Amino acid sequence: MNSSYKIGSIMGIPIKVHITFLLILPIFALVFATNPQPYGFADIGSPVMTYGLSLLTTILLFVCVLLHELGHSYIAKGYGVEIKDITLMLLGGVSSMEEIPREPSHEFKMAFAGPLVSLIIGFVLLGINIAIASSVPSYNTTWVYLMVNILATINIVLAIFNLIPAFPMDGGRILRSIFARKMSYIKATHYAASVGKMFAFLMALVGVVSNLWLLLIAFFVYMGASEEDKSTTVTVSLEKYMVSDIMSEDVISVQPEMTVEELSHFMFENKHLGYPVIKGNSLKGIVTFTDIRNVLPHERYAVLVSDVMTTDVVTLPSSASAAEAFRIMTINNIGRILVMDNDNVKGILSRTDLMRSLMLLNE
């Protein structure tokens, strides 16, 4: 099931909404509708107007969150980083980048760009309200003034909150860029992640007492810091090795005419869950356990490998970096990559191969 849906593109970047965003939208609107001024519209007028303004404010708030993420993406694109997409979800927005700029000054600017956009939005909106209110005395009693004031305040709070040095939040990335000026990137990431976990623990303590949202944020910060710490260690450790150093050259392939029933027995006998599909010397696709598990048992005698295999095969040359292979596996959520030179299959590289090599490197 697809959990994110594309709603458009900006600067060539696909903009998506996650299903959790659709769930949180009415909750935010309800919060605005049930709180009085200056934080909501409970006492602004009729229920229709109250909920209408609340929903509009919620949508505009997430537009501001999108602009925050576009700030990150604009700077990253300037440094040649490819942005896969921006997704609006439960706790805000996420820019999906192929890689984080490794140069400390680049990461600093990219991380600071988002909070800077939020600060600019917040202070511009405040300035507009002050300017209009000074010339139109009755303006500060209108719903427009209230909505603009709410958006301005939330953007400023959002910017300040994101600058907390809780890795992998923006402030944590800024902290890593500062550490990276004086130490290795792995060590800088480890220290920044440790600070992030400490802040997550403090957030959780406060959240248990006063705010469950803070507890949820603390959980995501802690898990994010742990995962990025591990991911960075793996990526940097593998950078000095090529795919040819780690891949398995003994490639076991299957024929497209094989039935799914035969393939299931073949998998059991060979103890692998994925195989390239080759006809003659030509690569036709790749088939995995995931491809066949949805085929009903009584249909497996009639369904062929060619019917269920994946034809859009992810490949890499043997001269590619092992770190690049790990990155591609992570982005595409796949467990193996075929290694090809001049249209010939030279080997296969699995996530298990990478993890085993990493264990040996760390011994």
Side-chain angles (χ1 to χ4, degrees):
M1 178 180 174
N2 188 14
S3 58
S4 298
Y5 304 91
K6 183 179 176 181
I7 58 173
S9 296
I10 300 177
M11 297 190 305
I13 303 170
I15 309 300
K16 298 181 178 180
V17 292
H18 193 266
I19 191 169
T20 55
F21 170 77
L22 301 178
L23 296 174
I24 201 66
L25 204 63
I27 295 176
F28 266 71
L30 184 62
V31 169
F32 288 131
T34 54
N35 277 283
Q37 301 182 46
Y39 304 112
F41 304 96
D43 50 0
I44 201 71
S46 68
V48 173
M49 186 172 186
T50 295
Y51 283 98
L53 290 175
S54 299
L55 181 59
L56 177 59
T57 303
T58 301
I59 293 172
L60 291 175
L61 174 59
F62 276 93
V63 169
C64 294
V65 171
L66 175 59
L67 292 174
H68 176 110
E69 293 301 323
L70 285 170
H72 291 308
S73 300
Y74 178 78
I75 299 298
K77 282 175 70 72
Y79 292 127
V81 177
E82 183 176 342
I83 312 299
K84 188 177 179 182
D85 57 57
I86 294 176
T87 305
L88 297 176
M89 53 202 311
L90 177 65
L91 295 177
V94 175
S95 299
S96 179
M97 302 181 186
E98 284 201 345
E99 59 182 341
I100 300 296
R102 196 72 60 84
E103 174 64 35
S105 63
H106 293 178
E107 182 173 24
F108 182 95
K109 293 174 184 176
M110 187 209 71
F112 187 67
L116 179 61
V117 169
S118 295
L119 283 174
I120 291 172
I121 292 172
F123 283 112
V124 167
L125 291 177
L126 277 181
I128 290 172
N129 257 3
I130 292 171
I132 297 177
S134 63
S135 57
V136 183
S138 61
Y139 172 69
N140 58 12
T141 62
T142 65
W143 62 264
V144 177
Y145 175 89
L146 179 58
M147 180 187 294
V148 171
N149 196 59
I150 290 173
L151 291 172
T153 302
I154 293 178
N155 271 282
I156 293 171
V157 171
L158 178 67
I160 295 172
F161 184 78
N162 270 277
L163 288 173
I164 295 174
F167 190 80
M169 290 168 57
D170 297 336
R173 295 192 182 281
I174 291 173
L175 182 65
R176 177 171 67 177
S177 71
I178 294 172
F179 284 154
R181 296 174 189 271
K182 301 178 181 179
M183 60 186 71
S184 71
Y185 194 72
I186 290 180
K187 191 175 289 187
T189 301
H190 180 67
Y191 285 156
S194 298
V195 174
K197 291 176 184 178
M198 180 189 71
F199 271 99
F201 181 72
L202 294 175
M203 286 182 195
L205 288 179
V206 176
V208 168
V209 175
S210 62
N211 193 312
L212 291 179
W213 279 108
L214 203 56
L215 186 62
L216 184 62
I217 292 171
F219 172 77
F220 279 103
V221 168
Y222 187 91
M223 294 302 296
S226 299
E227 288 302 315
E228 186 139 358
D229 190 12
K230 293 176 186 176
S231 177
T232 300
T233 300
V234 171
T235 300
V236 176
S237 298
L238 291 174
E239 280 180 341
K240 46 189 145 180
Y241 297 94
M242 293 191 302
V243 166
S244 58
D245 298 324
I246 302 175
M247 71 180 190
S248 299
E249 295 183 359
D250 184 18
V251 181
I252 303 175
S253 63
V254 296
Q255 297 289 317
E257 297 86 5
M258 179 184 284
T259 67
V260 169
E261 179 65 19
E262 292 171 334
L263 177 62
S264 62
H265 290 295
F266 190 83
M267 285 184 172
F268 181 78
E269 292 170 0
N270 289 276
K271 306 297 186 295
H272 293 298
L273 297 179
Y275 301 89
V277 182
I278 298 176
K279 181 73 172 177
N281 293 321
S282 176
L283 175 68
K284 299 299 182 180
I286 190 167
V287 65
T288 68
F289 178 72
T290 303
D291 296 321
I292 71 171
R293 66 180 178 182
N294 292 327
V295 180
L296 296 175
H298 66 275
E299 296 178 346
R300 292 183 177 180
Y301 294 94
V303 178
L304 303 179
V305 166
S306 59
D307 298 324
V308 297
M309 69 183 185
T310 301
T311 55
D312 185 15
V313 184
V314 178
T315 65
L316 275 178
S318 60
S319 58
S321 164
E324 174 71 1
F326 175 74
R327 185 184 67 80
I328 290 176
M329 285 184 189
T330 302
I331 290 175
N332 293 282
N333 193 28
I334 54 178
R336 57 197 55 78
I337 292 178
L338 282 178
V339 183
M340 297 188 68
D341 291 334
N342 300 320
D343 295 327
N344 293 316
V345 177
K346 294 296 184 180
I348 190 166
L349 180 68
S350 69
R351 190 182 293 270
T352 303
D353 294 329
L354 291 174
M355 294 303 102
R356 187 183 296 119
S357 299
L358 191 66
M359 289 175 61
L360 294 172
L361 289 172
N362 290 331
E363 285 186 352

